[in-house]
Amino acid sequence: MDIQFDFTGRTAVFFGGTSGINLGIAEAFAARGASVAVAGRKQDNVDAAVKRLGTHGGPVRGFVADVRDMESVAAVFDAVASEWGPVDILVSGAAGNFLAEVNDLSSNGFKVVVDIDLNGTFHVMRSGFEHLAPGASVINITAPQASIPVRYQAHVCAAKAGVDQLTRVLALEWGGRGIRVNAIAPGPIAGTEGLARLSPGDDPTGDRSVRSVPLGRFGTREEIADLAMFLSSSAASYISGAVIPCDGGGSFESVRAIEDAGRFLASSGR
Ligand code: HXC
Ligand code: NAP
């Protein structure tokens, strides 16, 4: 990369930071000097993430917390702030996803995704605010489904649309404190749980999905991390309330590949 970021001395907290895209973002900040805390539901995932982040030599902490439970989220902030002080960078990216038509969703099936993605983001924002440093960078991880309707994804579309609007309102309300609030909307990112769940089941090579991206390839976790670092750097000091796609130009096409996967699952009775 031809840009050098340096987050030495900064404190960064990542909810849903124990795997996939969010862990990739945490790793980029750890590699550039930040003190990094990650939180997720499962102890094994937390332990593995802490081990991996620790290879960069800086301070790392891991926490078991469910974003659906505001008290467990608040406990993470309390622990981080008491040890490292105010939070400079906050990334909220916990999410759940599966393919299902509305008519196959139970009340709880719809609720579980809204609870993790949207209510979870609210809990992270609401509990985190009092611990944010003046000038902090807050980033919510959203998805193309927030703005593009996608069959088999009503629960995700509804939840992530809420995340986008929450992001924009917080930019209004927190701007006076110099806090910037933005969102990143990744396209299909290679090697992630999200892509595995949404790739066409009859196309194990993922060709259909890759062809849907104008740049002709999946994105990488590093490319999402680069955008997160840019947004948290002084180069982005006048950017707030933005929802930024990082998708190879292809969100509209890519979501049609997701619908193919849903149709495949429906036709195969899974
Ligand atoms: C219909 C389903 C279902 C399915 C679960 N449910 N899977 N309904 N079709 N395929 C229903 C269950 O029947 C249940 O309703 C309710 O959802 C809750 O299910 P649980 O298994 O009890 O929930 P829980 O253990 O809390 O797990 C949450 C989860 C799970 C979301 C269901 O998949 C999870 O933990 N996901 C986290 C990892 C993940 O999804 N990563 C990908 C994020 S990527 P009933 O009525 O039976 O009680 C992403 C990508 C976006 O968001 C865009 C990519 C381009
Ligand atoms: P992932 O690897 O499954 O990451 C999800 C993370 O959230 C994990 O750390 C998971 O850890 C945690 N998590 C899930 N439920 C939680 C809860 N209730 N409380 C706390 N933590 C929870 O998924 P990913 O594919 O990398 O996706 C990461 C983000 O990118 C999500 O916001 C997703 O919507 C977005 N996104 C992904 C893609 C893609 O191509 N992958 C595209 C667009 C948007 P535990 O399971 O241990 O809790």
Side-chain angles (χ1 to χ4, degrees):
M1 199 181 19
D2 50 2
I3 304 171
Q4 299 301 318
F5 294 107
D6 183 0
F7 295 102
T8 304
R10 308 277 188 89
T11 292
V13 181
F14 301 84
F15 281 86
T18 57
S19 69
I21 289 172
N22 306 319
L23 176 58
I25 301 173
E27 193 156 12
F29 280 94
R32 288 161 183 83
S35 301
V36 168
V38 292
R41 286 170 305 178
K42 297 174 190 154
Q43 185 73 59
D44 286 358
N45 293 348
V46 171
D47 293 343
V50 167
K51 192 173 173 193
R52 180 164 172 166
L53 293 166
T55 61
H56 296 284
V60 178
R61 295 288 178 273
F63 299 91
V64 172
D66 190 323
V67 295
R68 292 171 284 190
D69 170 12
M70 191 148 123
E71 280 184 18
S72 77
V73 172
V76 173
F77 284 114
D78 289 343
V80 169
S82 68
E83 192 169 349
W84 294 336
V87 173
D88 301 292
I89 294 135
L90 173 59
V91 176
S92 178
N97 201 348
F98 51 81
L99 291 160
E101 279 189 298
V102 170
N103 290 347
D104 293 325
L105 277 174
S106 66
S107 170
N108 197 34
F110 187 81
K111 181 176 179 294
V112 73
V113 171
V114 172
D115 273 350
I116 299 171
D117 293 29
L118 178 55
N119 296 336
T121 304
F122 172 79
H123 294 151
V124 172
M125 301 293 106
R126 183 70 179 80
S127 325
F129 175 74
E130 66 181 284
H131 298 290
L132 292 177
S137 164
V138 177
I139 299 172
N140 293 319
I141 307 301
T142 181
Q145 288 91 323
S147 51
I148 306 171
V150 188
R151 292 177 181 85
Y152 308 98
Q153 291 278 273
H155 43 331
V156 176
C157 291
K160 292 292 196 182
V163 170
D164 285 12
Q165 283 295 66
L166 184 57
T167 300
R168 295 181 180 110
V169 173
L170 289 175
L172 298 178
E173 295 188 354
W174 293 357
R177 292 270 299 252
I179 296 167
R180 296 179 299 104
V181 189
N182 294 293
I184 296 174
I189 303 303
T192 60
E193 181 67 25
L195 184 59
R197 286 178 181 230
L198 302 179
S199 290
D202 56 350
D203 179 12
T205 62
D207 279 357
R208 166 75 176 86
S209 301
V210 168
R211 273 189 274 111
S212 71
V213 183
L215 287 183
R217 62 176 178 81
F218 293 138
T220 66
R221 300 183 328 149
E222 290 75 16
E223 286 170 321
I224 304 301
D226 288 347
L227 177 53
M229 290 192 291
F230 165 72
L231 285 174
S232 302
S233 76
S234 56
S237 53
Y238 203 51
I239 300 178
S240 192
V243 177
I244 304 180
C246 188
D247 61 2
S251 286
F252 281 91
E253 292 298 322
S254 299
V255 298
R256 300 307 158 217
I258 294 171
E259 293 183 340
D260 286 352
R263 274 189 209 98
F264 172 78
L265 287 179
S267 67
S268 62
R270 285 197 263 159

